[in-house]
Structure formats: C-alpha cells, structure tokens
Amino acid sequence: MFPTKTILFIAVVSLLITFSFAAVDTFIYGGCSQAKYFPGSPYESNVNSILTSFVNSASLYTYNNFTLDGISGDSSVYGLYQCRGDLSSASGDCARCVARAVSRLGSLCVGAYGGALQLEGCFVKYDNSTFLGVEDKTVVVRRCGPPVGYNSDELTRRDAVVGYLTASSGGSYRVGVSGEVQGVAQCAGDLSVSECQDCLMESIGRLKSDCGGAAWGDVYLAKCYARYSARGSYSRANGYGGNRKSNDDEIQKTLAIIVGLIAGVTLLVVFLSFMAKSCERGKGGK
Ligand SMILES: *[C@@H]1O[C@H](CO)[C@@H](O)[C@H](O)[C@H]1NC(C)=O
Ligand SMILES: *[C@@H]1O[C@H](CO)[C@@H](O)[C@H](O)[C@H]1NC(C)=O
C-alpha cells in the first residue's frame, strides 16, 4: 500500500521545500593551512590588509589578485577573490558575497598561513606562497544527487547542458539551460583562456563519470568548478560522495537529523492510517 518509495519521495520533497533557497552566501567549502603564524606578526597585518582589499575591490571588479610583499621577505601574502559571473560589482552583490566570505574565512582560519573559502556566489583565497596564475586541478568537493533513473528525459537534458558548458568559446563563466536542467561553470580569473578550458574539461569529465545518472552534481576543483541541477532541486542536502573540509559537517548532521525526523513522522502517519484502516475493517465484521 505505501511502498518505501512513497515515503522516500515525501521525505525528499520536504527537504527540497525546506532547503531550496540556495542563497549566494550558502557555504560550499572552506579549508586552512595547518601552520599558524604568531599573533601580532607582520604576516598577520598583511593577511588582514589583503582580506580588506578583497572587500574594497569587489565593489569595482568581480575578480582581482593581490600581492603584499613582506618587509622581511617571509611575510609576503598572496590572494585572490572571484565572484560568480552573474554577480555584478555595480549592484554590490559581488562585494556583499566577498565580505561574507572574508568574514567566514576569518573565523574559520584564525592564525592560519593560508586559507580558502567558497560560497555559492564567490571564492576567496590567500596564502604565503604564490598560487596566482597557477593551474590547480585538485578535487576539493565532489558530490552527486540521488539517481534519476534510466528512462529519464532529464539525462538527455543534462547531457545537453553539460555540452554547453564544455564549449571552448565559453569564457570563464558559463551557463547552460535545457528544460528544467541548468548548469553553471566558473574559473578563477587568474587562469588563462586555455588553462580555464583545461580545468573545466577536468571538472566536467568528473561530473559525467562520477555523477552519471544523478539529479544534480557539483565538482569543485581548486581553480574552477562545474555543476548542474534540475530547477527547484537546488538542495544539495541529500548528496553523497562529498569531501568537504570544514564545519559543514555540523550542517550535515543537522540535515541527517531532519531527514530522520521527516522519515520518522512519515512512517508514523503511514502506520497510524494503516491501523485506522485495520480497525475499520475489524469493526465491519471481517
Ligand atoms: C609558508 O609558511 C610555512 C609555515 O610557516 C613555511 O613552512 C613555508 O616555507 C612558507 N612558504 C613560503 C613560500 O614562505
Ligand atoms: C594580477 O593583477 C594585476 C593587476 O591588478 C594583473 O596585471 C595581473 O595580470 C594579475 N595576475 C593574475 C595572475 O591574474
């Protein structure tokens, strides 16, 4: 009568309703170097001023890079920020996202020599060795949604969308839409056109191979990312295959609890209605 599928479906729908407001400042990942600098060191003041520069610059440009040379040579700091291509500087959207990212990075990476943080709408990174202009295809986050099944049109649309993203004429920000399926790809602004293409091909290749028949997928490499999803299912809540480095685990735990609760309540309702029906049948004499 109530197959497990229905219950799962109800649970998933509830999740989508709860978590479909993927905002620009939704946290994707963050990570910090193990090594720490001494509080009050010249390095610390360089880190602070580079992070301040990000926020100031983001009201003018959607990408910028900075190098602060240390007096003593070992206090040099390098950094960049990148807003997603659809966030404009003029509207203040880019600066708002960068300010949020910088503030989260500041509390996540207290005293760390290097740190990087990706929100839905922007990326910020600083380090004591220069990574500017260096292609880096390290996989940082890879996560896929639940399978959509084999006969689905959605798979065809996904292939079309992913195809748009691979077009080499695409630039550093790319979007693709086919029906309900949408895709987005973004490179960090320090990559050349060919490095960006190379990075995205790697990211998209993994998206195809790892998230084969999934409803959505995200592959974040160190300098670029590609993702796709069906409209309305922007929730990444029930994904698997994640590889996140930070306090997002707390969110995962909370989600697990919520999923458990929803499933529990659904089961209870199903059980009660089953009991009610049995009772009625009992009363009816057979
Ligand atoms: C960056 O800081 C770490 C930790 O102190 C140090 O081992 C490394 O040599 C530094 N790198 C550069 C390029 O100064
Ligand atoms: C860094 O920024 C400067 C100007 O602000 C620019 O000339 C340079 O090409 C940038 N470097 C990279 C690697 O993006």
Side-chain angles (χ1 to χ4, degrees):
M1 28 183 282
F2 284 100
T4 329
K5 255 187 204 158
T6 316
I7 299 168
L8 262 180
F9 178 70
I10 294 168
V12 168
V13 166
S14 322
L15 261 182
L16 294 185
I17 291 165
T18 320
F19 297 102
S20 60
F21 313 104
V24 162
D25 58 3
T26 299
F27 178 85
I28 308 285
Y29 69 82
C32 325
S33 70
Q34 294 276 311
K36 304 262 181 186
Y37 55 75
F38 288 110
S41 65
Y43 190 81
E44 177 173 42
S45 64
N46 274 351
V47 169
N48 290 338
S49 53
I50 215 163
L51 295 180
T52 308
S53 308
F54 288 179
V55 180
N56 293 337
S57 169
S59 57
L60 294 172
Y61 312 103
T62 54
Y63 157 78
N64 212 345
N65 73 78
F66 298 88
T67 299
L68 286 186
D69 292 319
I71 326 146
S72 49
D74 61 353
S75 54
S76 299
V77 186
Y78 308 86
L80 69 76
Y81 70 87
Q82 172 71 59
C83 282
R84 201 176 62 201
D86 59 330
L87 295 192
S88 86
S89 286
S91 68
D93 288 343
C94 178
R96 263 190 295 278
C97 185
V98 170
R100 185 97 182 94
V102 160
S103 119
R104 292 197 72 156
L105 186 65
S107 45
L108 184 68
C109 299
V110 178
Y113 263 102
L117 190 123
Q118 174 82 55
L119 299 182
E120 188 90 19
C122 60
F123 173 71
V124 293
K125 176 171 179 167
Y126 73 90
D127 204 0
N128 69 336
S129 62
T130 183
F131 58 93
L132 300 172
V134 179
E135 200 183 343
D136 184 352
K137 297 190 276 187
T138 311
V139 179
V140 186
V141 171
R142 178 194 62 94
R143 44 187 187 173
C144 314
V148 291
Y150 291 102
N151 58 347
S152 178
D153 286 350
E154 213 169 306
L155 285 184
T156 320
R157 298 213 183 88
R158 192 212 60 183
D159 287 346
V161 164
V162 169
Y164 298 144
L165 300 182
T166 49
S168 55
S169 52
S172 70
Y173 170 66
R174 306 173 183 190
V175 286
V177 179
S178 173
E180 294 287 287
V181 182
Q182 53 192 12
V184 61
Q186 175 78 59
C187 287
D190 61 328
L191 296 188
S192 70
V193 171
S194 62
E195 286 168 337
C196 174
Q197 182 65 14
D198 184 55
C199 188
L200 287 182
M201 290 310 280
E202 172 83 17
S203 165
I204 290 165
R206 284 177 180 273
L207 206 50
K208 282 184 184 163
S209 61
D210 299 357
C211 299
W216 53 260
D218 295 347
V219 176
Y220 284 83
L221 307 183
K223 283 281 175 82
C224 71
Y225 65 80
R227 29 193 334 207
Y228 74 88
S229 67
R231 197 170 312 158
S233 74
Y234 248 105
S235 162
R236 259 83 186 153
N238 45 347
Y240 57 86
N243 171 17
R244 273 174 276 184
K245 280 183 184 168
S246 72
N247 60 0
D248 212 22
D249 284 347
E250 279 308 312
I251 299 172
Q252 297 276 47
K253 269 183 220 154
T254 315
L255 283 177
I257 292 167
I258 293 170
V259 172
L261 271 178
I262 293 169
V265 168
T266 314
L267 274 174
L268 190 66
V269 168
V270 169
F271 178 70
L272 287 178
S273 66
F274 177 73
M275 287 306 282
K277 270 188 196 147
S278 309
C279 283
E280 261 166 34
R281 253 185 250 137
K283 274 188 213 146
K286 207 209 160 225

